[in-house]
Amino acid sequence: QVDLVESGGGSVQAGGSLRLSCAASEYPYSRSHCMGWFRQAPGKGREVVAHIDSEDTTNYADSVKGRFTISKDNANNTLYLQMNRLKSEDTAMYYCAASTSGRGKIFGCSRYEDYDYWGQGTQVTVSS
């Protein structure tokens, strides 16, 4: 069983938009204290892009503020990331993650080590 499945990645020109989706199975979605999107570019570490906690409080990396929006659809156990005004530096593999341990929320949902469920990733490529 795959608990988190991302979709929606692809290739787009700079200035364009994409919407990533993360379909989650019942357990990680309903028990998560945090859900987030992370990304990893070639040769770089995994970084947080945006996260949302169980009270729907959202937070964004400075590099994407004002351009990306994270949201949840509780009726369909789905997490979204709307990405607008994409830049070449947004090129990366994007991962959906869920944190079912309380520690995630204690540390503000921003630490990847607090997330215990991960998707396989979806590639986003932005050409300039």
Side-chain angles (χ1 to χ4, degrees):
Q1 177 183 349
V2 179
D3 293 308
L4 299 175
V5 180
E6 302 96 336
S7 62
S11 296
V12 65
Q13 288 193 328
S17 298
L18 285 172
R19 188 176 80 155
L20 304 184
S21 300
C22 173
S25 57
E26 180 63 26
Y27 178 80
Y29 191 91
S30 64
R31 298 296 296 271
S32 65
H33 297 277
C34 312
M35 292 199 74
W37 289 97
F38 294 76
R39 67 186 180 188
Q40 187 165 16
K44 295 188 177 181
R46 192 167 296 192
E47 63 173 355
V48 63
V49 176
H51 52 80
I52 183 167
D53 69 15
S54 53
E55 296 174 350
D56 291 341
T57 300
T58 60
N59 217 316
Y60 299 89
D62 287 342
S63 59
V64 307
K65 278 181 183 175
R67 299 189 297 123
F68 290 11
T69 303
I70 189 171
S71 62
K72 295 191 298 182
D73 178 353
N74 294 330
N76 293 297
N77 291 357
T78 303
L79 181 73
Y80 297 103
L81 184 69
Q82 177 66 44
M83 305 186 296
N84 298 328
R85 303 199 308 275
L86 282 159
K87 304 176 181 180
S88 58
E89 51 262 45
D90 295 318
T91 295
M93 184 71 78
Y94 283 71
Y95 298 90
C96 168
S99 172
T100 60
S101 76
R103 190 177 63 183
K105 195 169 179 182
I106 289 172
F107 288 99
C109 297
S110 62
R111 307 191 320 172
Y112 74 88
E113 59 263 40
D114 294 327
Y115 286 77
D116 47 351
Y117 287 84
W118 290 87
Q120 295 299 306
T122 186
Q123 178 67 38
V124 171
T125 302
V126 184
S127 57
S128 56

